[in-house]
Amino acid sequence: MKPTSAPQTYRVKSFGCQMNVYDGERMAELLGERGIQPAPEGEEADLVILNTCHIREKAAEKVYSDIGRLVAAGKENGKAPLIAVAGCVAQAEGEEIMARAPAVSIVVGPQAYHRLPDMLDKAEKGERATDTDMPAIAKFDALPARKKRGPSAFLTVQEGCDKFCTYCVVPYTRGAEISRPFSHLVDEARKLVEAGAKEITLLGQNVNAWSGDDDKGRRVGLGGLIRTLAQIDGLERIRYTTSHPNDMDDDLIAAHGEVAKLMPYLHLPVQAGNDRILKAMNRQHTAESYLRLIEKFRAARPDIALSGDFIVGFPGETEAEFQDTLNIVDDVRYAACFSFKYSPRPGTPAATMEHQIAPEVMAERLQRLQARIAHHQYAFNQASVGKACTVLVERTGRHPGQWLGKSPWLQSVWFEGEAAIGDLVEVTLAAGGPNSLEGQVRAKLSA
Ligand code: 5AD
Ligand code: SF4
């Protein structure tokens, strides 16, 4: 390969989950240390990082078509960008990518991106570099300090998954469950707040499996971490995602009733409402045990908003079994949900199970499920009308003088008035639509 000159500008394109968004930010910070700047809006970057997601279908195809587009654009303006593929497709299919796409210089997995600078050194000499190791030494120690971002920041506290749900690639692409140390997290949270964050969302594939030793050497779970983070001055809101029902403990549940900064919102995927399907998915909980858990959260924090993930058309799912999924949606009355057609992932047990469901059956079930979810989301928004709450302003609205932010229940709220990004504004929720609410300003709490 021809030697390439050192890139001056970069673009990171992150797909998939919030953990990828977090990883994308950290890669951007690494590039910043090297003096590489974000490419100005509308301009081609010298270095493009495709930070990929492997959780559902056609992930790899999407990567190849993105690469093709970058190569074509490079030819058109006479300057081929350096292309790096990161994230879970890199982890799962790194070798194939290197073989199939000569335009790619770097393949880097989600546990190895702290080594990006070395890989860039190689790429600048015209060599290609692959790193999909999962080193025991946490990459986080090797990353530079956090940089200023918006008022709402992500903080990865836990990574990986030991649950092995039969449909899911995460245990293979992200590896075993690890918890970052308590002191590192408190430190990173402080830095994020110093950089302007008002809200921190703690991230992990099984975030509620986090555990560590606190500053007094006591073993604590996520509830203990949240109680400590809540003492940081200037941090106003704490959230966490994504949880597994079996990793919930009483302290975290209690924290919802005791820690004012912990927002009344819980994302707790159930995936399906039928016990035979849950067993085939290896979820290790039943519909009933899930519902009992939800009741505990509601007892601790009666106004808690719930959200979930659902998969329709898991192999062998009958119409009656699918009805159980609709039933659990009605039982819980979710405020929001993510729902997906089952997608066979290579290497997972479910991909080779008998009785794969026809695409048109899945599409029709998804439509019915989404209608039911939308019904409850709208009802939740309607029921919020008249409530007073804070809104954390994240951006300007569509029209001049309008602002957009999130309610404690993670609803999008817009309002008109004097404000700035990062303000916490007290509003009365005045009107509720399917996807957002209108607020009327009562008072501005903090700037
Ligand atoms: N097919 C469809 N959806 C999936 N998810 C995970 N794996 C698959 C798959 N193979 C969904 C689950 C999970 C969310 C992040 O993605 O609902 O909670
Ligand atoms: Fe995937 Fe299940 Fe682990 Fe969630 S708990 S990441 S769905 S294997």
Side-chain angles (χ1 to χ4, degrees):
M1 276 192 91
K2 273 195 261 76
T4 327
S5 59
Q8 306 294 313
T9 60
Y10 71 83
R11 175 158 298 125
V12 180
K13 272 181 80 176
S14 286
F15 304 88
C17 68
Q18 289 153 330
M19 296 196 61
N20 256 13
V21 175
Y22 175 89
D23 290 341
E25 288 175 2
R26 307 277 350 227
M27 285 191 264
E29 286 160 3
L30 266 176
L31 300 176
E33 290 269 294
R34 216 179 154 86
I36 311 177
Q37 302 297 321
E41 197 71 39
E43 278 183 32
E44 305 290 338
D46 301 337
L47 164 66
V48 178
I49 299 184
L50 301 172
N51 191 19
T52 59
C53 171
H54 203 224
I55 200 121
R56 280 174 295 273
E57 63 203 325
K58 306 211 175 82
E61 284 87 301
K62 211 158 87 197
V63 175
Y64 291 115
S65 71
D66 273 354
I67 294 167
R69 217 168 304 135
L70 287 169
V71 170
K75 276 196 188 127
E76 211 163 276
N77 56 35
K79 203 177 80 180
L82 245 172
I83 302 174
V85 180
C88 292
V89 179
Q91 188 68 37
E93 301 189 21
E95 272 174 39
E96 292 96 299
I97 294 171
M98 277 300 191
R100 248 182 81 176
V104 171
S105 301
I106 292 174
V107 162
V108 61
Q111 306 302 347
Y113 64 77
H114 55 297
R115 299 185 187 145
L116 207 48
D118 289 347
M119 303 177 82
L120 275 170
D121 287 344
K122 277 196 181 167
E124 286 170 15
K125 285 190 251 155
E127 296 166 25
R128 304 175 87 199
T130 302
D131 193 341
T132 50
D133 274 3
M134 295 195 177
I137 308 275
K139 64 177 175 249
F140 299 104
D141 298 342
L143 294 169
R146 302 308 313 267
K147 297 272 156 42
K148 189 166 173 52
R149 300 252 165 208
S152 183
F154 291 136
L155 170 52
T156 293
V157 305
Q158 181 279 342
E159 280 193 291
C161 182
D162 300 337
K163 305 290 186 300
F164 290 92
C165 299
T166 52
Y167 51 80
C168 185
V169 284
V170 165
Y172 311 96
T173 56
R174 291 269 172 171
E177 289 179 8
I178 61 126
S179 293
R180 292 182 63 194
F182 180 90
S183 62
H184 296 200
L185 297 172
V186 176
D187 197 46
E188 190 170 327
R190 283 218 176 89
K191 298 229 166 77
L192 285 168
V193 173
E194 279 162 23
K198 296 276 173 59
E199 173 177 272
I200 294 183
T201 302
L202 309 176
L203 298 180
Q205 262 97 28
N206 284 277
V207 70
N208 58 336
W210 182 88
S211 72
D213 293 331
D214 72 4
D215 44 357
K216 297 186 184 68
R218 288 174 306 208
R219 196 88 191 141
V220 291
L222 191 68
L225 178 65
I226 287 170
R227 288 170 201 274
T228 302
L229 296 180
Q231 290 163 22
I232 298 176
D233 279 343
L235 178 60
E236 307 289 350
R237 292 174 157 198
I238 302 172
R239 302 180 184 277
Y240 61 93
T241 196
T242 290
S243 296
H244 190 284
N246 291 8
D247 287 323
M248 278 302 174
D249 66 22
D250 289 343
D251 184 55
L252 182 54
I253 299 171
H256 275 276
E258 294 163 9
V259 180
K261 290 182 182 178
L262 180 57
M263 291 295 102
Y265 185 93
L266 173 67
H267 181 64
L268 192 63
V270 66
Q271 312 294 356
N274 175 270
D275 287 344
R276 192 190 74 82
I277 295 295
L278 287 171
K279 197 161 189 335
M281 287 177 163
N282 191 32
R283 287 291 296 176
Q284 300 176 58
H285 60 76
T286 61
E288 187 54 41
S289 68
Y290 176 88
L291 290 171
R292 274 204 306 272
L293 188 57
I294 296 285
E295 281 319 307
K296 283 193 182 179
F297 276 94
R298 286 198 162 130
R301 181 78 204 222
D303 70 335
I304 197 162
L306 294 154
S307 86
D309 288 346
F310 290 92
I311 297 175
V312 300
F314 186 81
E317 184 187 67
T318 64
E319 170 61 25
E321 287 165 341
F322 168 67
Q323 289 286 336
D324 286 340
T325 293
L326 296 178
N327 292 340
I328 205 164
V329 169
D330 287 343
D331 286 343
V332 176
R333 306 181 312 278
Y334 291 95
C337 279
F338 302 92
S339 50
F340 314 101
K341 286 185 261 188
Y342 166 72
S343 162
R345 309 312 297 137
T348 59
T352 50
M353 283 180 186
E354 286 183 343
H355 308 300
Q356 300 279 327
I357 305 295
E360 57 278 13
V361 175
M362 282 204 256
E364 192 271 335
R365 287 183 187 166
L366 187 67
Q367 215 173 34
R368 274 189 286 159
L369 175 61
Q370 291 185 337
R372 197 66 71 95
I373 289 167
H375 166 81
H376 289 290
Q377 181 172 325
Y378 187 49
F380 184 85
N381 287 347
Q382 290 277 294
S384 307
V385 172
K387 284 190 184 172
C389 69
T390 58
V391 172
L392 178 59
V393 181
E394 290 179 0
R395 49 197 170 91
T396 52
R398 214 175 301 158
H399 305 290
Q402 277 188 357
W403 300 94
L404 259 178
K406 292 277 164 37
S407 78
W409 306 283
L410 208 63
Q411 297 148 301
S412 291
V413 178
W414 66 269
F415 65 87
E416 279 174 9
E418 281 283 305
I421 290 169
D423 282 351
L424 265 177
V425 176
E426 177 125 351
V427 303
T428 304
L429 297 174
N435 299 311
S436 65
L437 292 109
E438 181 189 342
Q440 267 157 14
V441 178
R442 295 154 65 94
K444 196 164 98 177
L445 296 182
S446 75

